[in-house]
Amino acid sequence: KRPINLVVEPVDEEYIATGFDANISSTGETPVEAVENTKDMIILSYETLVHTEEESLGPGPLKQKHVLSAFLQRGVVS
């Protein structure tokens, strides 16, 4: 639906890419690897959350589901 902005920062000898809107981050040895790993985490989280009934989610995961739903559309991930 729309792009997810990621912030990439060096941490020790690797990089961390964070999507603050969705509260998801991941690391990598390079900035590109950190971004790719974070994209994978976003997709995995989204797919898990959309297949989970909202009543069984706590406040954090429920908010994350709604945020990710504003950015992503099921079946259309690039």
Side-chain angles (χ1 to χ4, degrees):
K1 294 180 185 178
R2 63 184 204 184
I4 298 175
N5 294 316
L6 300 179
V7 175
V8 180
E9 301 174 296
V11 177
D12 296 324
E13 295 184 16
E14 58 186 8
Y15 294 86
I16 185 167
T18 304
F20 288 101
D21 292 328
N23 194 28
I24 295 177
S25 62
S26 189
T27 61
E29 292 182 9
T30 66
V32 171
E33 185 177 287
V35 168
E36 290 301 317
N37 290 341
T38 303
K39 287 164 85 175
D40 290 343
M41 288 297 297
I42 288 169
I43 294 166
L44 178 62
S45 297
Y46 178 69
E47 288 298 322
T48 300
L49 291 168
V50 297
H51 288 67
T52 304
E53 294 295 325
E54 290 193 359
E55 300 82 37
S56 65
L57 295 174
L62 182 60
K63 180 181 177 184
Q64 191 174 50
K65 179 180 182 176
H66 291 168
V67 168
L68 289 173
S69 293
F71 287 97
L72 303 173
Q73 182 176 337
R74 284 183 70 183
V76 182
V77 179
S78 60

